[in-house]
Amino acid sequence: MTEKQATFEENLARLDQIVNQLEQGNVPLEDALEQFKEGMKLSKTLEASLTKAEQTLTKVINDDGEEVNFERDSDE
């Protein structure tokens, strides 16, 4: 049985849920530490996803079908 990998949006929603719970301050210390660890792991996963997406978006396909880096205009 293979486990479905969570989407970016699912990970973001879980991180938001953890942050809200921790901000309320009514979580037992042991649970808070576990949630913090989970939140840090999710944060790193989300950051990696964003970095990968950014790298993909900064490339374009030229007329020959080759992937090339996107270059911004120098006046921006």
Side-chain angles (χ1 to χ4, degrees):
M1 178 198 249
T2 58
E3 189 175 316
K4 179 187 159 221
Q5 188 173 0
T7 65
F8 179 86
E9 291 77 10
E10 292 168 336
N11 283 336
L12 187 59
R14 176 63 183 141
L15 181 58
D16 188 47
Q17 180 184 34
I18 290 170
V19 169
N20 287 333
Q21 289 174 346
L22 292 176
E23 284 179 341
Q24 290 176 6
N26 57 358
V27 178
L29 180 60
E30 294 81 13
D31 292 342
L33 289 173
E34 287 302 314
Q35 287 182 348
F36 180 78
K37 288 179 190 176
E38 182 183 356
M40 292 302 296
K41 184 178 176 182
L42 286 168
S43 177
K44 288 180 182 181
T45 299
L46 291 166
E47 183 178 5
S49 294
L50 288 173
T51 299
K52 184 176 178 181
E54 181 181 32
Q55 290 170 348
T56 299
L57 291 173
T58 58
K59 294 182 179 179
V60 293
I61 305 295
N62 68 14
D63 292 335
D64 296 328
E66 298 172 340
E67 221 176 61
V68 294
N69 287 331
F70 178 76
E71 295 181 20
R72 289 185 156 186
D73 293 336
S74 61
D75 62 339
E76 288 184 31

